[in-house]
Coordinates of all heavy atoms in Angstrom, one line a residue:
Chain F
G264 N 27.1 -7.7 -2.8 CA 26.1 -8.4 -3.6 C 25.4 -9.5 -2.8 O 24.9 -10.5 -3.3
A265 N 25.3 -9.2 -1.5 CA 24.7 -10.1 -0.6 C 23.2 -9.9 -0.4 O 22.7 -8.8 -0.5 CB 25.4 -10.0 0.8
G266 N 22.5 -11.0 0.0 CA 21.1 -10.9 0.3 C 21.0 -11.1 1.8 O 21.9 -10.9 2.6
G267 N 19.8 -11.5 2.2 CA 19.5 -11.8 3.6 C 18.1 -11.8 3.9 O 17.2 -11.8 3.0
E268 N 17.8 -12.0 5.2 CA 16.4 -12.0 5.6 C 15.9 -10.6 5.7 O 16.7 -9.6 6.0 CB 16.3 -12.6 7.0 CG 16.6 -14.1 7.1 CD 15.6 -14.9 6.3 OE1 14.4 -14.7 6.5 OE2 16.0 -15.8 5.5
N269 N 14.6 -10.4 5.5 CA 14.0 -9.0 5.7 C 14.3 -8.6 7.1 O 14.2 -9.4 8.0 CB 12.5 -9.0 5.4 CG 12.2 -9.3 3.9 OD1 13.1 -9.0 3.0 ND2 11.0 -9.7 3.6
M270 N 14.5 -7.3 7.3 CA 14.7 -6.8 8.7 C 13.6 -5.7 8.9 O 13.2 -5.0 8.1 CB 16.1 -6.3 8.9 CG 16.4 -5.0 8.1 SD 18.0 -4.3 8.7 CE 17.4 -3.7 10.3
F271 N 13.3 -5.6 10.2 CA 12.2 -4.7 10.6 C 12.8 -3.8 11.7 O 13.3 -4.4 12.7 CB 11.0 -5.4 11.0 CG 10.5 -6.3 9.9 CD1 10.7 -7.7 9.9 CD2 9.8 -5.7 8.8 CE1 10.2 -8.5 8.9 CE2 9.4 -6.5 7.7 CZ 9.6 -7.9 7.8
T272 N 12.6 -2.5 11.6 CA 13.1 -1.6 12.6 C 12.2 -0.4 12.8 O 11.2 -0.3 12.0 CB 14.6 -1.2 12.3 OG1 15.1 -0.5 13.4 CG2 14.6 -0.3 11.0
T273 N 12.5 0.4 13.7 CA 11.6 1.6 14.0 C 12.5 2.8 14.3 O 13.6 2.6 14.9 CB 10.7 1.3 15.2 OG1 9.8 0.2 14.8 CG2 9.9 2.4 15.6
M274 N 12.1 4.0 14.0 CA 12.8 5.2 14.4 C 12.9 5.2 15.9 O 12.1 4.7 16.6 CB 12.0 6.4 13.9 CG 11.8 6.5 12.4 SD 13.2 6.8 11.5 CE 13.5 8.6 11.8
N275 N 14.0 5.7 16.4 CA 14.3 5.7 17.8 C 13.5 6.8 18.5 O 14.0 8.0 18.7 CB 15.8 5.9 18.1 CG 16.6 4.8 17.4 OD1 16.9 4.9 16.3 ND2 16.8 3.8 18.2
F276 N 12.3 6.5 18.8 CA 11.4 7.5 19.4 C 10.3 6.7 20.1 O 9.8 5.7 19.6 CB 10.7 8.3 18.2 CG 10.2 9.6 18.7 CD1 11.0 10.7 19.1 CD2 8.8 9.8 18.6 CE1 10.5 11.9 19.4 CE2 8.3 11.1 19.0 CZ 9.1 12.1 19.4
P277 N 9.9 7.1 21.3 CA 9.0 6.3 22.1 C 7.6 6.2 21.4 O 7.1 7.2 20.8 CB 8.9 7.1 23.4 CG 10.1 7.9 23.5 CD 10.5 8.2 22.1
K278 N 7.0 5.1 21.5 CA 5.7 4.8 20.8 C 4.6 5.8 21.2 O 3.9 6.4 20.4 CB 5.3 3.4 21.0 CG 4.0 3.0 20.3 CD 3.8 1.5 20.5 CE 2.6 1.0 19.6 NZ 2.4 -0.5 19.8
L279 N 4.6 6.0 22.5 CA 3.5 6.9 23.0 C 3.7 8.3 22.5 O 2.7 9.0 22.1 CB 3.5 6.9 24.6 CG 2.3 7.5 25.3 CD1 1.0 6.9 24.9 CD2 2.5 7.6 26.8
L280 N 4.9 8.8 22.5 CA 5.2 10.1 22.0 C 5.0 10.2 20.5 O 4.5 11.3 20.0 CB 6.6 10.5 22.3 CG 6.9 10.9 23.8 CD1 8.4 11.3 24.0 CD2 6.0 11.9 24.3
Y281 N 5.3 9.2 19.8 CA 5.0 9.1 18.3 C 3.5 9.3 18.1 O 3.1 10.1 17.2 CB 5.6 7.9 17.7 CG 5.3 7.7 16.2 CD1 6.0 8.5 15.3 CD2 4.3 6.8 15.7 CE1 5.7 8.4 14.0 CE2 4.1 6.7 14.4 CZ 4.8 7.5 13.5 OH 4.5 7.4 12.1
K282 N 2.7 8.5 18.8 CA 1.3 8.6 18.7 C 0.8 10.0 19.0 O 0.0 10.6 18.2 CB 0.6 7.5 19.6 CG -0.9 7.5 19.6 CD -1.4 6.4 20.6 CE -2.9 6.3 20.6 NZ -3.6 7.4 21.2
L283 N 1.3 10.5 20.1 CA 0.8 11.9 20.5 C 1.2 12.9 19.4 O 0.4 13.8 19.1 CB 1.5 12.2 21.8 CG 1.0 13.4 22.6 CD1 -0.5 13.3 22.9 CD2 1.8 13.7 23.8
A284 N 2.5 12.8 19.0 CA 3.0 13.8 18.0 C 2.1 13.7 16.7 O 1.8 14.8 16.1 CB 4.4 13.6 17.7
A285 N 1.8 12.5 16.3 CA 1.0 12.3 15.1 C -0.3 13.0 15.2 O -0.8 13.7 14.3 CB 0.9 10.8 14.7
E286 N -0.9 12.7 16.4 CA -2.3 13.2 16.6 C -2.3 14.8 16.7 O -3.2 15.4 16.2 CB -2.9 12.5 17.8 CG -3.1 11.1 17.5 CD -3.8 10.2 18.6 OE1 -4.0 10.8 19.7 OE2 -4.0 9.0 18.3
I287 N -1.3 15.3 17.3 CA -1.2 16.8 17.4 C -1.0 17.3 16.0 O -1.6 18.3 15.6 CB 0.0 17.2 18.3 CG1 -0.3 16.9 19.7 CG2 0.4 18.7 18.1 CD1 0.9 17.1 20.7
G288 N -0.2 16.6 15.2 CA 0.0 17.0 13.8 C -1.4 17.0 13.0 O -1.6 17.9 12.2
W289 N -2.2 16.0 13.2 CA -3.5 15.9 12.5 C -4.4 17.1 12.9 O -5.0 17.7 12.1 CB -4.2 14.6 12.8 CG -3.6 13.4 12.3 CD1 -3.3 12.3 13.1 CD2 -3.1 13.0 11.0 NE1 -2.7 11.3 12.3 CE2 -2.5 11.7 11.1 CE3 -3.0 13.7 9.8 CZ2 -1.9 11.1 9.9 CZ3 -2.4 13.1 8.7 CH2 -1.9 11.8 8.8
C290 N -4.3 17.4 14.2 CA -5.2 18.5 14.7 C -4.7 19.8 14.2 O -5.5 20.7 13.8 CB -5.1 18.5 16.3 SG -5.9 17.1 17.0
R291 N -3.4 20.0 14.1 CA -2.8 21.3 13.6 C -3.2 21.4 12.1 O -3.6 22.5 11.6 CB -1.3 21.3 13.7 CG -0.9 21.7 15.1 CD 0.6 21.9 15.1 NE 1.1 22.2 16.5 CZ 2.3 22.0 17.0 NH1 3.2 21.4 16.2 NH2 2.6 22.3 18.2
S292 N -3.1 20.3 11.3 CA -3.5 20.4 9.9 C -4.9 20.7 9.8 O -5.3 21.5 8.9 CB -3.2 19.0 9.2 OG -1.8 18.8 9.3
A293 N -5.8 20.1 10.6 CA -7.2 20.4 10.5 C -7.5 21.8 10.8 O -8.3 22.5 10.0 CB -8.0 19.5 11.5
K294 N -6.9 22.4 11.8 CA -7.1 23.8 12.2 C -6.6 24.7 11.0 O -7.2 25.7 10.7 CB -6.4 24.1 13.5 CG -7.1 23.6 14.7 CD -6.4 24.0 16.0 CE -7.1 23.6 17.2 NZ -6.4 23.9 18.4

Side-chain angles (χ1 to χ4, degrees):
Chain F
E268 293 293 314
N269 291 340
M270 66 166 294
F271 303 101
T272 188
T273 296
M274 300 292 284
N275 299 86
F276 200 69
K278 186 173 183 177
L279 190 62
L280 287 182
Y281 178 72
K282 177 179 184 289
L283 190 64
E286 293 180 357
I287 289 171
W289 298 126
C290 293
R291 281 189 180 153
S292 297
K294 283 183 177 175

